[in-house]
Amino acid sequence: MRLVINGGTHDVPAAPHETLLGVLRGRLDLMGTKLVCGRGECGACTVHLDGEPAYSCITLAAACEGVAITTIEGVADGDELHPLQAAFIEHDALQCGMCTPGQIMAALALLTDDPDPSEETVTRWMSGN
């Protein structure tokens, strides 16, 4: 299958039952997206599909052909961190690091949708992580 990930095209052999997370980590060595719960509850595996947040652990890779996939690796601009990534570092919001990529991806989707969210909106958007 052909996947568009972080602006690049990747031809990937994948079985029909393989998850996007499995392809990202196991076939493309994009290790930033994390497997934690494996059932779409924790949000550690959050990526963007056409700009919308999605749990890659429960998304079939085959369903992503023709979809723009953005992982945590695609958020920075080369060596320059996205301001949200820099803010996580500056404010020591990393914790153990397993959920951090998913947190950043969820927060990025929120701020793209609503650049000046209320506390209630932030709580609602981030509740999946």
Side-chain angles (χ1 to χ4, degrees), residues 1-15 18-25 27-28 30 49 56 59-71:
M1 78 183 64
R2 179 166 286 171
L3 298 176
V4 178
I5 303 169
N6 301 326
T9 303
H10 302 270
D11 290 318
V12 181
E18 280 189 85
T19 65
L20 179 57
L21 178 63
V23 169
L24 292 172
R25 290 182 63 84
R27 301 206 185 261
L28 298 173
L30 293 171
L49 303 179
S56 62
T59 300
L60 293 176
C64 295
E65 280 193 291
V67 174
I69 302 163
T70 305
T71 69

Side-chain angles (χ1 to χ4, degrees), residues 79-124:
D79 289 337
E80 187 175 332
L81 293 177
H82 184 280
L84 190 57
Q85 291 172 304
F88 263 68
I89 293 168
E90 180 182 336
H91 296 282
D92 200 24
L94 302 176
Q95 301 172 33
C96 77
M98 287 301 288
C99 69
T100 303
Q103 292 274 355
I104 291 172
M105 296 305 287
L108 183 59
L110 161 62
L111 294 173
T112 300
D113 186 69
D114 183 352
D116 189 25
S118 67
E119 187 173 334
E120 179 184 325
T121 299
V122 171
T123 299
R124 187 175 67 251

